[in-house]
Amino acid sequence: MHLTDRRPSPEALLRAAAREGRGRLKIFLGAAPGVGKTFEMLREGAERLAAGVDVVIAVVETHGRQDTERLAAPLPTIPRRQIDHHGHRLEEMDLDAVLARAPQLALVDELAHTNAEGCRHAKRWQDVEELLAAGIDVLSTLNIQHVESLNDVVASFTRVRVRETVPDHVLEGAEIEVVDLPPDELIERLQQGKVYVPAEATRALGHFFSKENLSALREMALRRAAQNVDRSLVDFLDAHAVAGTYAGGERVLVAVSELPGSDALVRAGKRLSDALRAPWQAVFIETPRAAALGADERRRVADSLQLAASLGATIASVPAETVIEGLTTHIAGMRATQLVLGRSRRSWWFELRHGSVVERLLRVSEGLAVHVIPSEDATPSRGAARVRRRVDWRGMGAGIAAVAVTTGLATLVEPVIGAGGIDLIYLLPVILISVMFGRLPGIATGVIAGLAYNFFFLPPIYTFTIADPQSVLTVIVLLGIAVFVASLADRLRTRASIGARSAIENAAVAAFGQALARASDWQSTGDTVCTELARALDVSVLLLAQRDGQLAIVSAYPPDMAELSPVDRAAAEWAWSRGEVTGRDTGTLNAADWQFHPLRTTLGTLAVVALARSDGGAPVQATRATLLSTLLGQAALAHERLRLEDQLREVRVIEERDRLRSALLSSIGHDLRTPLTAVGGALDAIAVNHPDEPALGIARGELARLRRFLANLIEMVRIDSGTLAAAIEPVDLTDAVAGAVHDVRDLLPDARLDFRVPPDLPLVPADPRLLHHILLNLLTNAATHGAGKVTIAGERLPHGVRLSIADQGPGLPPGGAEALFEAFARGTGSDSRGGSGLGLAIARSFSEVMNVRIGARDGEGGGAVFTLDFAID
């Protein structure tokens, strides 16, 4: 399709202007670690350096790979910043040094990296944003699982939740180069120890680096890069007013109509967009014929557009002279590559007169795949045609009167201009009546004008006989011009009406959006929604939301609205809980006086809007249904924004609380270490002089407990700071349990221990140090809170090994199995026994790092049972 009046897109020009003065970001995107992203980044950096570009390495992680180290050696490197972090020496990119050096190009590895405390930004991608803002180009690397929008998808099949992510907007402004490696080659590199050390590589091959996972990740990386290329291409074409589809990526358009079956088109479009992973839009072409649609047809259009919006599509209503003109213009503007439309079964006479939209689209479309869905109704509605044929007697009367006045005027001016100019005067009433009343009254006026001209001015006058053959031609031409002028005036009148209605609706939508943007809290947003909806639709409006667990009216217009009746309240509750439109003129609880529309978002239903008319008529006129759908969508987005802002504030409060808690734990851990060491030395000195002192054993036991508490504090700080890492290797559970039992022998003498771990259990993948700490905490918990024997048992499962530690104490608190693993949670009786509430939280954190599942349940004969499940392939 070709457009001759294309102009640059203002939005594309604004985006291009925003990029001026900023550095350019190029991301080497890979499906998984080990594909060679860092190597490719360094190789391009070396090429740019050889070409005379000022290149520096801001931060590069070689991971001990010799090829990567050799490639990085010739490049200028900015020394990293040294940070003391809880007794550890960490190295991070020195952002200020890079900005001071101001190179043309900086190499920044691992874009998703989380910076240590003390850095200006929490994430490395934020450092990169500051470099770009300073006009410095950046090369960086990223794995596909670190893209924020794909995080859940990756976790669903890899069973690994990645905590470090990069927002999608960072990638949208970047050039992306996919560093690709077939799964078989990557697995071979892994087996050769070129990615991880052998122990870690063996475990990775059985989990994250399986061939099916790598294939899926590889496809996701290629698709994400293709989307970026397509977005950049469309921006360029729009900014330079270049016509054409240029299908770098798929874009789906669904054309809905007033015919039955439009909802099936919408669902087909949704399935197609999901299959192609492409954006999609639903559009209704509003032609002059649409002005005569009945209420049922308009309701069907509005329902189809609302369904599309609920399924994630953007919706539009486009005024146009014909469906073909509207569709071709919209397809060119959207640069759609896939079109879904319906085809009703029309009579041959209808297609002969009006043609087939499908056939004409197939003839004019270029680079467009057209999907035709047959309509479910064999006979299209003729309601519109019946309306169009309705006689406007008022217009007919006005036409007769206008011709009479024109005849009188012509009689007066005939002596001046002669009979030859009279025929042109008779065009005046035709144009006037066509503009005022439409085509049929205009055509009728043209016929009457022709007859009047013949009767009063063509010889023989006062008869309908025409003596001169030339006069016959004059009458025929006059009638033809009258019919043409009437049709043209009616078309302009209808187009002006559609344009005016669209302008009014667009102005209402723009005003509604601006008013919502000014609202900054729930109450003002609710008041704005009610006021603007009432003004735009001429209805009474209520806004209901949950307050204290019940649905209540939070805003209203007019403000003095009465309470809802029981039927209306039931309809409101139904709309809230089911997310469906209910109430008057709907299929659910239509005895209600109000019509209820849920404000549905990705966060669920956030509010319910109720509409009613003071005259008791339909709450929403059929002609305003599309406008209502658009306004409700904006209201839902405004409520979603407020909810997300509330959640963000809650997250910030939690983050601040966690930061203070980490600082407190770190301070306590540091301050306790020195006095505990001194107490231990004092006890040793006392034991030399008074070895039989009875209190000595008690003091040593309490000192051991305090040291365990200190160790838990230190480990909790490590967990909160994100510095915890696991070194997985095969571990013998028998040895691991025996070592832990030995360290808690003062709490668990042999008389209280029942050891049932078979020596022939297979080795399990775990970090020995972290596993030892988990077992210490579980055994200490059993010894402290339990009673009687503590049973340690191991068993072989079909896909792993389970280790259980059971006590004979009071068991778990009701419903508290999961809460016990929260930090500072205390079980039954813990207050009297001095538990810190950290041991089980640390055990769960350590188990998550090692991909070991930890659980708790009540024992069959009483007490509590804690289990560790190790997966073995």
Side-chain angles (χ1 to χ4, degrees):
M1 283 160 281
H2 305 281
L3 287 177
T4 59
D5 58 346
R6 283 195 61 85
R7 62 176 182 172
S9 166
E11 293 80 5
L13 290 176
L14 287 174
R15 287 192 292 269
R19 290 192 292 267
E20 292 295 327
R22 283 177 58 87
R24 296 184 178 182
L25 173 63
K26 181 174 181 179
I27 298 175
F28 293 88
L29 183 66
V35 296
K37 303 180 299 299
T38 303
F39 186 88
E40 286 298 317
M41 179 184 69
L42 291 170
R43 184 189 59 77
E44 180 163 334
E47 291 178 354
R48 300 276 287 274
L49 182 65
V53 178
D54 183 14
V55 181
V56 299
I57 294 179
V59 59
V60 165
E61 304 292 347
T62 63
H63 299 290
R65 298 169 186 148
Q66 296 181 356
D67 293 342
T68 306
E69 291 175 349
R70 281 197 299 268
L71 199 57
L75 295 172
T77 302
I78 294 180
R80 300 192 195 184
R81 178 184 175 190
Q82 303 291 322
I83 298 177
D84 289 325
H85 185 74
H86 303 299
H88 297 278
R89 197 76 169 173
L90 302 179
E91 293 184 343
E92 295 289 356
M93 181 178 73
D94 194 336
L95 178 60
D96 291 326
V98 179
L99 291 172
R101 171 69 167 71
Q104 293 177 276
L105 177 65
L107 309 187
V108 182
D109 205 4
E110 296 185 1
L111 188 61
H113 172 75
T114 300
N115 293 329
E117 292 183 15
C119 295
R120 181 154 66 243
H121 301 298
K123 299 290 186 178
R124 185 169 289 172
W125 63 264
Q126 295 172 310
D127 294 338
V128 169
E129 286 287 303
E130 188 167 345
L131 294 177
L132 296 174
I136 301 173
D137 294 344
V138 176
L139 301 183
S140 190
T141 63
L142 184 70
N143 287 325
I144 191 64
Q145 65 266 28
H146 294 286
V147 178
E148 177 65 42
S149 62
L150 301 177
N151 185 258
D152 291 339
V153 180
V154 173
S156 66
F157 62 83
T158 63
R159 302 294 188 271
V160 175
R161 172 71 65 176
V162 177
R163 301 182 184 275
E164 295 179 323
T165 59
V166 174
D168 287 59
H169 70 81
V170 177
L171 279 74
E172 289 171 2
E175 177 188 352
I176 293 181
E177 178 177 324
V178 177
V179 182
D180 190 28
L181 198 64
D184 290 335
E185 292 186 25
L186 180 56
I187 291 174
E188 184 178 351
R189 285 172 53 85
L190 196 68
Q191 291 172 338
Q192 293 172 354
K194 295 181 179 180
V195 181
Y196 293 126
V197 296
E200 293 183 1
T202 302
R203 182 172 181 270
L205 284 171
H207 294 83
F208 187 86
F209 281 82
S210 65
K211 186 172 182 178
E212 56 271 19
N213 284 354
L214 293 176
S215 298
L217 292 169
R218 185 187 187 198
E219 179 186 2
M220 292 174 66
L222 293 172
R223 284 185 179 274
R224 190 62 180 80
Q227 290 175 8
N228 241 55
V229 171
D230 180 61
R231 185 181 296 108
S232 300
L233 174 63
V234 171
D235 273 353
F236 176 83
L237 297 176
D238 288 344
H240 293 79
V242 179
T245 301
Y246 293 91
E250 301 292 346
R251 294 172 288 277
V252 179
L253 179 65
V254 179
V256 303
S257 69
E258 76 281 1
L259 299 176
S262 284
D263 55 345
L265 295 181
V266 171
R267 294 187 178 94
K270 170 63 173 173
R271 292 193 297 271
L272 181 61
S273 69
D274 286 345
L276 299 175
R277 298 184 182 179
W280 68 299
Q281 186 178 95
V283 63
F284 172 65
I285 306 300
E286 193 172 4
T287 63
R289 179 176 174 274
L293 293 179
D296 291 341
E297 286 85 359
R298 287 191 172 275
R299 174 62 58 190
R300 195 175 293 129
V301 171
D303 290 345
S304 298
L305 292 177
Q306 188 172 7
L307 174 63
S310 68
L311 294 176
T314 55
I315 61 175
S317 182
V318 178
E321 183 66 26
T322 64
V323 173
I324 289 294
E325 177 187 335
L327 273 180
T328 53
T329 302
H330 196 71
I331 289 168
M334 180 188 172
R335 302 187 188 274
T337 60
Q338 307 280 337
L339 174 65
V340 179
L341 75 165
R343 179 170 186 172
S344 60
R345 293 184 282 275
R346 309 271 192 179
S347 66
W348 66 272
W349 175 241
F350 183 93
E351 292 198 359
L352 181 64
R353 290 181 296 151
H354 301 282
S356 169
V357 173
V358 175
E359 295 297 333
R360 295 177 65 183
L361 271 176
L362 290 175
R363 285 197 297 269
V364 302
S365 61
E366 297 176 4
L368 178 70
V370 181
H371 304 261
V372 181
I373 311 296
S375 173
E376 64 184 31
D377 194 348
T379 57
S381 171
R382 297 181 179 272
R386 285 196 295 270
V387 173
R388 297 291 290 179
R389 289 195 295 266
R390 188 175 299 159
V391 177
D392 187 351
W393 295 109
R394 190 166 58 93
M396 295 296 185
I400 295 174
V403 171
V405 171
T406 303
T407 300
L409 176 64
T411 303
L412 293 176
V413 302
E414 182 185 13
V416 178
I417 65 175
I422 299 299
D423 53 349
L424 297 179
I425 297 179
Y426 275 101
L427 291 177
L428 296 177
V430 176
I431 297 174
L432 178 65
I433 298 302
S434 298
V435 171
M436 294 180 61
F437 297 100
R439 182 187 303 173
L440 289 181
I443 293 175
T445 301
V447 174
I448 296 172
L451 294 176
Y453 173 64
N454 176 28
F455 188 80
F456 290 103
F457 298 100
L458 290 180
I461 60 174
Y462 306 125
T463 68
F464 290 105
T465 303
I466 302 176
D468 187 359
Q470 184 177 356
S471 299
V472 175
L473 180 60
T474 302
V475 172
I476 293 174
V477 171
L478 176 62
L479 290 175
I481 293 175
V483 171
F484 174 76
V485 169
S487 299
L488 182 61
D490 178 70
R491 179 177 297 179
L492 293 176
R493 175 173 173 267
T494 305
R495 180 177 293 181
S497 175
I498 293 175
R501 185 168 67 250
S502 298
I504 292 173
E505 292 186 353
N506 290 336
V509 172
F512 189 57
Q514 291 174 358
L516 287 177
R518 291 191 295 268
S520 58
D521 55 63
W522 290 98
Q523 188 59 49
S524 61
T525 298
D527 293 342
T528 299
V529 168
C530 292
T531 303
E532 296 296 329
L533 281 177
R535 183 180 303 165
L537 302 173
D538 191 23
V539 293
S540 300
V541 185
L542 299 176
L543 183 72
L544 300 95
Q546 274 204 336
R547 295 292 184 269
D548 299 326
Q550 293 185 344
L551 202 60
I553 299 175
V554 295
S555 298
Y557 190 89
D560 54 346
M561 299 300 297
E563 285 292 323
L564 296 175
S565 66
V567 176
D568 285 318
R569 183 160 292 280
E573 293 285 354
W574 186 283
W576 172 269
S577 59
R578 302 293 185 89
E580 300 174 1
V581 180
T582 61
R584 186 183 178 93
D585 288 345
T586 69
T588 305
L589 299 174
N590 54 14
D593 296 326
W594 295 78
Q595 188 178 92
F596 298 91
H597 296 261
L599 297 184
R600 291 174 295 182
T601 70
T602 55
L603 304 177
T605 300
L606 302 182
V608 174
V609 171
L611 308 174
R613 299 186 67 84
S614 57
D615 58 4
V620 183
Q621 300 176 13
T623 56
R624 316 305 296 276
T626 303
L627 174 61
L628 172 64
S629 176
T630 303
L631 296 180
L632 290 178
Q634 287 200 348
L637 289 176
H639 280 76
E640 185 179 41
R641 172 177 59 83
L642 291 176
R643 175 63 61 83
L644 291 174
E645 288 176 354
D646 287 347
Q647 292 178 354
L648 179 59
R649 282 191 288 269
E650 292 174 1
V651 168
R652 286 175 176 170
V653 170
I654 293 173
E655 289 178 346
E656 181 63 18
R657 186 190 67 187
D658 288 345
R659 187 186 67 80
L660 293 174
R661 187 183 68 176
S662 297
L664 177 62
L665 293 178
S666 178
S667 176
I668 292 175
H670 181 271
D671 293 342
L672 282 180
R673 181 177 295 143
T674 300
L676 286 180
T677 302
V679 170
L683 290 178
D684 291 339
I686 292 173
V688 173
N689 298 322
H690 306 281
D692 299 327
E693 175 61 41
L696 189 61
I698 298 175
R700 282 181 167 170
E702 292 301 310
L703 178 62
R705 185 176 67 83
L706 287 174
R707 282 176 170 166
R708 285 193 295 270
F709 177 65
L710 174 61
N712 282 337
L713 285 178
I714 294 173
E715 296 299 343
M716 182 57 67
V717 170
R718 293 181 60 210
I719 293 169
D720 289 343
S721 64
T723 60
L724 187 65
I728 306 298
E729 62 182 61
V731 174
D732 188 331
L733 275 183
T734 306
D735 295 340
V737 174
V741 169
H742 178 269
D743 287 351
V744 293
R745 59 187 180 276
D746 55 332
L747 296 177
L748 278 177
D750 293 341
R752 289 192 58 195
L753 185 63
D754 185 6
F755 191 86
R756 300 181 183 179
V757 181
D760 58 348
L761 285 178
L763 301 180
V764 297
D767 183 317
R769 183 177 56 86
L770 298 183
L771 178 59
H772 182 75
H773 213 117
I774 292 174
L775 294 174
L776 284 180
N777 284 328
L778 293 180
L779 291 172
T780 302
N781 178 79
T784 304
H785 304 305
K789 282 187 175 294
V790 174
T791 302
I792 307 174
E795 59 178 321
R796 184 72 164 92
L797 300 177
H799 300 289
V801 172
R802 171 172 294 173
L803 182 69
S804 60
I805 299 175
D807 61 52
Q808 296 177 349
L812 304 180
E818 184 63 25
L820 279 177
F821 291 102
E822 298 296 332
F824 300 104
R826 309 283 290 276
T828 303
S830 61
D831 289 339
S832 62
R833 302 184 187 222
S836 68
L838 292 176
L840 294 181
I842 292 171
R844 182 173 68 173
S845 298
F846 285 2
S847 64
E848 288 177 351
V849 171
M850 298 190 301
N851 200 24
V852 175
R853 190 172 63 182
I854 187 171
R857 69 175 190 274
D858 286 316
E860 297 180 359
V865 180
F866 292 87
T867 58
L868 295 172
D869 290 337
F870 301 86
I872 298 179
D873 296 332

